[in-house]
Amino acid sequence: ARYSSVAEALMACTSVGTSIQTNKSNIYWTVLAQDVAYLVSASRHMSHAFLEAIDILKAAVREFKNEGEAEDANRMRRTKKKLEYYLSWSREASIPDNLESEIREWIEEWSGLIDNESD
C-alpha cells in the first residue's frame, strides 16, 4: 500500500494547501474530505459517483471527436477506462465499517488545529 494509514492518505491529499483554486472558486480541503467520507459510507455512493463521471467522459469523447480533437478524445477515453476499472474494483472492495467515522474524526481534529494556528 502506498499509505500506511487513513490519516496519512488524507494528509497527502490536503498537504498542498487549505484550498484548491478551480475556476475562481475555492474548494476547501474540509469539503473534499467530507465528500470522501460520504462516498465511503456506502458502496453504492462510490458506484454512483464513478458512473456519473464515466457518463461525463463519454460525452467529452463524443464532443472532442466532433471537433476533430483526436488526441483529447483518446485521453478522455483512457481516463474513462481507468474509471471503469475503479468502478469494478469498488463493487468488490470491502470498506471497513469505521472508515467514514475515522475520516470525519480526522476532519474535526485538523479543523481544530488549523483554527488554533490562525488565532
Side-chain angles (χ1 to χ4, degrees):
R2 187 172 187 185
Y3 301 105
S4 60
S5 69
V6 172
E8 188 179 334
L10 290 167
M11 283 298 297
C13 294
T14 59
S15 64
V16 291
T18 58
S19 66
I20 297 171
Q21 187 76 20
T22 58
N23 295 331
K24 298 183 181 174
S25 67
N26 287 325
I27 301 172
Y28 290 96
W29 68 268
T30 52
V31 174
L32 297 173
Q34 289 166 353
D35 286 348
V36 170
Y38 172 77
L39 289 172
V40 301
S41 68
S43 61
R44 72 179 190 283
H45 297 311
M46 274 196 293
S47 294
H48 189 232
F50 283 128
L51 287 170
E52 284 188 11
I54 288 167
D55 286 345
I56 291 168
L57 289 170
K58 283 179 187 176
V61 168
R62 280 192 303 274
E63 188 69 28
F64 282 128
K65 285 173 103 176
N66 291 339
E67 294 177 4
E69 301 287 337
E71 186 177 325
D72 288 330
N74 287 335
R75 187 168 41 85
M76 292 295 122
R77 192 176 295 111
R78 286 190 305 271
T79 302
K80 183 179 80 68
K81 285 289 189 193
K82 287 179 184 178
L83 288 182
E84 289 169 344
Y85 167 78
Y86 293 136
L87 172 62
S88 67
W89 169 84
S90 73
R91 290 178 172 163
E92 299 296 321
S94 62
I95 299 170
D97 292 335
N98 67 338
L99 184 57
E100 178 188 10
S101 61
E102 189 174 345
I103 292 169
R104 293 194 187 282
E105 288 170 11
W106 183 87
I107 293 168
E108 291 274 330
E109 180 183 331
W110 277 92
S111 293
L113 290 173
I114 290 172
D115 288 344
N116 288 338
E117 283 181 6
S118 62
D119 292 340

